[in-house]
Amino acid sequence: MSLALAPIDMNVDLEANLPCRKFDPDLWFSDSPAQLELAKSLCGDCPLRAECLAGAVDRAEPWGVWGGEIFERGAVVPRKRPRGRPRKADVARDAELAVEVEERLAANGLDSRNSVRLAA
């Protein structure tokens, strides 16, 4: 297992107000789908978002929000599901969100077929 990280843009002030440094770190590893969605939204304007996502993909992070994406069992998932059987509407929404995840990964220069396994 490689622990290599994506190169960091040296123009970024590492002491900047990064959301993962400003807010409670448990937010990025919550069991609550709503809190994970909040963490994803906080990552939106982070200057290290692409590097964070690339590092998490490389390390196959087992869980949490990394680079604005939710990881579960080493795979990017569109959203965290609550316990129990999913509703039909949720299954349809997951299919739409999976397409959105693919587009977001492509926008960050990651080819999901080769570098990220999407969980079903």
Side-chain angles (χ1 to χ4, degrees), residues 45-93:
D45 295 328
C46 181
L48 298 178
R49 182 178 180 182
E51 291 86 357
C52 180
L53 179 59
V57 167
D58 187 49
R59 294 185 307 271
E61 284 293 338
W63 63 295
V65 175
W66 298 89
E69 301 295 341
I70 298 174
F71 281 75
E72 189 171 298
R73 296 185 195 113
V76 174
V77 295
R79 67 182 181 89
K80 173 86 173 171
R81 291 186 187 140
R83 291 180 159 225
R85 187 175 180 177
R87 297 181 175 152
K88 290 180 183 178
D90 290 342
V91 172
R93 181 171 177 237

